[in-house]
Amino acid sequence: MRSVVELQTWVTRSEDETAHVGRQLTKQLPQGSVVSLEGTLGAGKSVLVRGMAAGLGIDPESVTSPTFTLWQTYSGTCDLHHLDAYRLRNAEEFLELGVEELFQQDGLIVIEWGEKVRRVLPTEHYRVTIEIDEDSHRRIVLLQQTES
Ligand SMILES: Nc1ncnc2c1ncn2[C@@H]1O[C@H](COP(=O)(O)OP(=O)(O)O)[C@@H](O)[C@H]1O
Ligand SMILES: [Mg+2]
């Protein structure tokens, strides 16, 4: 049976605070984790990824939007695979990128707009949802989907 549990919630008031949550996540999530980032345009998904990069010793400035390239890998204390499903029409297009192979590897895999491709993600994965509460406030929730 599939279950989704809420692990943690943060409310951030600035870009820096959200980046800090990203940093913290890299300390918390095990190697090989698949993380789906879910939230509207401008919610802070890319900001969070830059924080994760910093947590892995990768220059956050080097993390660009993978909206056009769809997939970028950075190497730090472990690999950071950054994907963006925004421009994909369906989950099949996501599979055609060769992601199944990626799911077998170590490193951290983060997918912006992961909800679009959820049905082809490994059953066991994490979700980070980001909601805009007020102008600069973001409610960030970490969830874990498991199969038991
Ligand atoms: N608390 C906050 N957390 C993250 N970003 C914030 C926050 N407050 C304002 N922002 C702004 O929101 C925008 C988020 O952009 P981005 O991370 O590219 O969004 P997404 O990747 O979800 O489309 C940035 O311009 C950032 O400065
Ligand atoms: Mg983005």
Side-chain angles (χ1 to χ4, degrees):
M1 209 184 66
R2 217 165 265 203
S3 59
V4 180
V5 288
E6 213 174 287
L7 299 180
Q8 208 169 337
T9 300
W10 298 264
V11 175
T12 65
R13 288 157 299 178
S14 68
E15 181 173 331
D16 279 356
E17 285 185 16
T18 295
H20 188 77
V21 171
R23 234 174 212 278
Q24 217 174 305
L25 285 172
T26 58
K27 312 290 176 232
Q28 222 169 306
L29 300 174
Q31 281 261 339
S33 294
V34 175
V35 187
S36 168
L37 299 183
E38 313 187 355
T40 184
L41 207 64
K45 301 180 292 298
S46 296
V47 166
L48 194 88
V49 176
R50 272 183 227 115
M52 289 172 134
L56 299 173
I58 299 158
D59 176 9
E61 300 290 316
S62 70
V63 177
T64 53
S65 168
T67 303
F68 296 99
T69 51
L70 303 173
W71 174 355
Q72 264 161 15
T73 298
Y74 304 91
S75 52
T77 50
C78 80
D79 280 347
L80 176 66
H81 305 282
H82 183 197
L83 296 95
D84 192 325
Y86 184 64
R87 299 173 82 76
L88 299 179
R89 265 170 306 177
N90 50 47
E92 280 65 39
E93 280 190 5
F94 187 64
L95 290 178
E96 282 163 19
L97 298 175
V99 290
E100 276 165 318
E101 204 177 304
L102 190 64
F103 294 150
Q104 308 306 316
Q105 294 171 20
D106 286 345
L108 205 54
I109 299 152
V110 292
I111 307 149
E112 295 194 37
W113 299 96
E115 67 269 39
K116 287 187 70 181
V117 296
R118 184 178 292 159
R119 65 182 186 80
V120 299
L121 294 182
T123 320
E124 311 234 341
H125 67 260
Y126 294 90
R127 276 180 217 155
V128 175
T129 62
I130 310 178
E131 277 174 39
I132 304 178
D133 271 359
E134 288 168 40
D135 258 7
S136 62
H137 291 201
R138 302 292 191 272
R139 173 173 296 274
I140 304 172
V141 182
L142 173 66
L143 305 122
Q144 183 178 25
Q145 176 171 301
T146 52
E147 179 94 73
S148 52

